[in-house]
Amino acid sequence: MVSYADDLALAHLLADTADSISMARFRALDLRVESKPDLTPVSDADTAVEQAIRSTLARARPRDGVIGEEFGNSTAPAGAGKRHWVIDPIDGTKNFIRGVPIWGTLIALMEGERPVAGLVSAPALGRRWWGALGHGAYAGKHQHAATRLSVSAVRKLGDASFCYSSLPSWEEGGYLEPMLGLMRDSWRSRAYGDFYGYMLLAEGALDVMVEPELSLWDVAALIPIVTEAGGSFTDLAGQRAPGDGSSIASNGHLHEKILDRLARGRA
């Protein structure tokens, strides 16, 4: 079995740097925010975090490439290889700029097309989550104060806590009716949004998390954490994620039912 212990240790060091930068800018009165071409916001904290992570990776992993939300795809200084790091410097930028503490830095390592290690650091919540293939998934304040994660054992939709992203994006994709049906039939439905729903799923606090639109940096770090906690993670077509820019994450027991309900009910 390949060991990713050194990669996870590096991910924690990267997250330490990211946290120190982002927390210094969180709720700062002089925070600078601009709109990107896709009209989504970017703050000076987003760019500073990604630049700092890229700088460290260039020194520590010169054979690894980097893909980041703010600065795109960079070939490894030592030449192209199969390994690359995927960075979302601040997932939940809209929360960040409004002073809502649910945001975090997402750091993933991919080998080819497969995410093999991932870390999510949410410093305003005082919590991190991480996992890697064959290593399990954990959460805590840091590596030495961690609890192993496990998804829930809920098997019935009527007993399930169902989490989703905002409904307008589901409506645009023709999924509004099946989404409303799933929400009605679930024990509880909430839109926690961004990385947070997936981490609650990995902790066993909820049972399903779905999103119709995602970029690679939104999802790569989440996959090893959810799957190493015992969960399932696919796109809306049922293909292993990261797939077509969508996701269904579940405790595994409910996965096929959610896939089927969304597919059959789509407009």
Side-chain angles (χ1 to χ4, degrees), residues 66-249:
V66 180
I67 300 172
E69 179 176 9
E70 306 308 333
F71 298 105
N73 191 346
S74 299
T75 302
K82 292 183 178 180
R83 287 168 45 111
H84 50 277
W85 296 81
V86 182
I87 310 299
D88 189 341
I90 296 182
D91 185 54
T93 297
K94 292 178 182 177
N95 282 348
F96 184 88
I97 64 179
R98 289 298 302 270
V100 178
I102 302 173
W103 52 269
T105 296
L106 278 54
I107 301 168
L109 173 64
M110 294 186 68
E111 292 182 344
E113 300 299 316
R114 188 178 191 186
V116 296
L119 181 146
V120 174
S121 185
L125 298 178
R127 195 159 178 80
R128 282 184 189 177
W129 301 261
W130 61 93
L133 297 187
H135 289 258
Y138 297 84
K141 289 188 175 181
H142 51 74
Q143 274 184 297
H144 305 295
T147 301
R148 187 153 188 168
L149 301 180
S150 180
V151 296
S152 73
V154 172
R155 293 176 176 272
K156 295 180 180 180
L157 185 60
D159 297 330
S161 183
F162 180 81
C163 189
Y164 58 97
S165 60
S166 60
L167 283 178
S169 56
W170 287 101
E171 183 176 21
E172 290 168 8
Y175 288 99
L176 183 59
E177 288 307 314
M179 280 293 295
L180 292 175
L182 286 167
M183 292 165 65
R184 294 187 192 102
D185 293 344
S186 298
W187 169 69
R188 192 169 190 251
S189 63
R190 288 292 185 273
Y192 295 112
D194 301 314
F195 70 91
Y196 197 44
Y198 299 93
M199 298 302 96
L200 292 174
L201 168 66
E203 291 183 357
L206 57 84
D207 312 297
V208 180
M209 173 67 189
V210 294
E211 285 192 270
E213 295 178 313
L214 290 165
S215 296
L216 179 62
W217 46 78
D218 295 318
V219 70
L222 312 178
I223 294 170
I225 300 171
V226 169
T227 56
E228 284 294 306
S232 297
F233 211 124
T234 70
D235 63 18
L236 288 172
Q239 301 301 307
R240 187 175 72 182
D244 66 356
S246 62
S247 73
I248 296 178

